[in-house]
Amino acid sequence: MTRSLPIRIALLLLLAVPAAAGAAQPSGPVFVARFGTDPLAGSIFQPEGDVVSRFTWIGKERPHFAGDRPGTLRVLYDTTLPAARIFTPLGRVASLDDDFAFGAILTIRSEGFQADPNGFSQIAFGLWNGHTTGIDRTGFPSDSFDLVEFDYFANAGPFGGPFLSPTVFGGEVGGNAFFNFAFQSSETRLPLDVPLLCQFRYAAADRALSLTVSRHARGLTFATLPGAAVTVDLSRLSPTFLVDAAGIAAYFEGSTSLHAVVDYDLLYVGDLPAPWGVVARRPPARPPAAATGPGPRKTNRKGGL
């Protein structure tokens, strides 16, 4: 991939617009893919790597939840296979100075699922740069500059896990993406065979990227999962990331660290598209206290772009 200085300068020039124009970001979704048609057959998504082994569109798959359409994009996260990804250009560039949002609805299937306790590999999608973000995300040195990524490490081993660990890589420093990156983790296990809504929102004023994961509840609503919320502090990234594409990635490790089949039914940039919504889970109500009697009162434990 080309990572020349002129390309980065050109991307910076795209950001150098009047402040008033940059502040007024359009509301609503910027990009929406519902995978009701084959994303691999058209010109919207661009393939890279061993896409044939990793990505399969299942046109006859029944809808997985209310509002879903027939068809799903099935992604094989097998760390013994060469890396692959698909992505779509967004026609605009975002950095640390821009508010943005994106997300996906995905289902991690239990059939064939295996996460080696001695491994550490992720289910991933996100935003990246079509020119500067390499596909060797798991290498060291890594070439995955300019990447904002959902990472779920399903492995549970001696050090803990599984971990929900969104990661952000800034611009190139010293030829290794890991010299300029930030992440945060929550030790939580995502349920299998349940549609999961994964939502990112970045607030430029706070330099904070927040991720929440909700599971399908009923009808058109998703309910937030306890412990499945993470905020990443991006204030120390320098230089900034420059992202202009959205996509799904499956990485290579060289060992049987992870085998997971994941169905994607939505990938979006901007606000969560209609008709879905999210409801927060309420904490359990406390039982009424006894009117008389000594001793302590009993209570329940508290458990875009």
Side-chain angles (χ1 to χ4, degrees):
M1 284 193 175
T2 301
R3 301 186 184 90
S4 62
L5 182 60
I7 288 178
R8 194 161 190 88
I9 292 175
L11 291 172
L12 286 169
L13 289 174
L14 287 174
L15 290 171
V17 296
Q25 295 293 335
S27 60
V30 174
F31 169 80
V32 177
R34 298 186 60 181
F35 304 114
T37 58
D38 187 354
L40 308 176
S43 58
I44 295 178
F45 283 93
Q46 299 180 17
E48 184 177 1
D50 189 15
V51 170
V52 173
S53 298
R54 298 285 204 152
F55 294 82
T56 305
W57 182 65
I58 312 295
K60 295 182 179 180
E61 183 78 3
R62 298 173 61 183
H64 292 160
F65 48 89
D68 187 24
R69 296 174 179 173
T72 192
L73 179 62
R74 186 158 294 172
V75 182
L76 174 60
Y77 290 91
D78 183 335
T79 52
T80 66
L81 297 175
R85 64 186 180 187
I86 63 169
F87 65 96
T88 182
L90 297 173
R92 61 183 68 190
V93 181
S95 72
L96 282 169
D97 296 324
D98 303 283
D99 292 343
F100 59 84
F102 70 98
I105 297 179
L106 57 86
T107 303
I108 306 171
R109 297 165 60 89
S110 61
E111 182 179 359
F113 179 84
Q114 183 177 1
D116 190 327
N118 297 313
F120 197 65
S121 298
Q122 72 265 55
I123 293 167
F125 71 88
L127 305 178
W128 59 76
N129 188 292
H131 298 283
T132 65
T133 309
I135 201 170
D136 190 16
R137 160 75 166 83
T138 57
F140 195 88
S142 169
D143 63 358
S144 58
F145 311 104
D146 300 299
L147 172 64
V148 181
E149 188 169 71
F150 171 93
D151 287 316
Y152 175 57
F153 295 90
N155 311 83
F159 53 86
F163 292 101
L164 186 63
S165 300
T167 307
V168 179
F169 295 89
E172 183 173 356
V173 173
N176 188 347
F178 285 104
F179 291 164
N180 183 27
F181 83 111
F183 78 99
Q184 190 58 261
S185 296
S186 173
E187 187 172 5
T188 185
R189 186 181 300 275
L190 298 181
L192 305 180
D193 299 319
V194 176
L196 302 173
L197 171 59
C198 310
Q199 295 176 282
F200 277 98
R201 187 164 292 277
Y202 173 69
D206 301 325
R207 291 294 193 263
L209 177 72
S210 297
L211 166 66
T212 58
V213 180
S214 308
R215 64 174 293 163
H216 183 246
R218 63 177 62 184
L220 298 172
T221 61
F222 287 75
T224 54
L225 282 169
V230 190
T231 298
V232 187
D233 178 7
L234 304 185
S235 61
R236 295 185 179 182
L237 281 185
S238 181
T240 180
F241 56 80
L242 300 174
V243 293
D244 61 4
I248 302 168
Y251 298 117
F252 170 75
E253 281 282 352
S255 62
T256 56
S257 176
L258 177 66
H259 186 282
V261 176
V262 179
D263 288 351
Y264 282 83
D265 293 300
L266 176 70
L267 180 68
Y268 71 93
V269 179
D271 293 338
L272 176 66
W276 300 289
V278 178
V279 294
R281 291 186 181 273
R282 296 180 179 179
R286 295 185 176 185
T292 59
R297 296 178 178 178
K298 295 176 63 178
T299 61
N300 286 348
R301 294 181 180 178
K302 293 183 179 180
L305 181 72

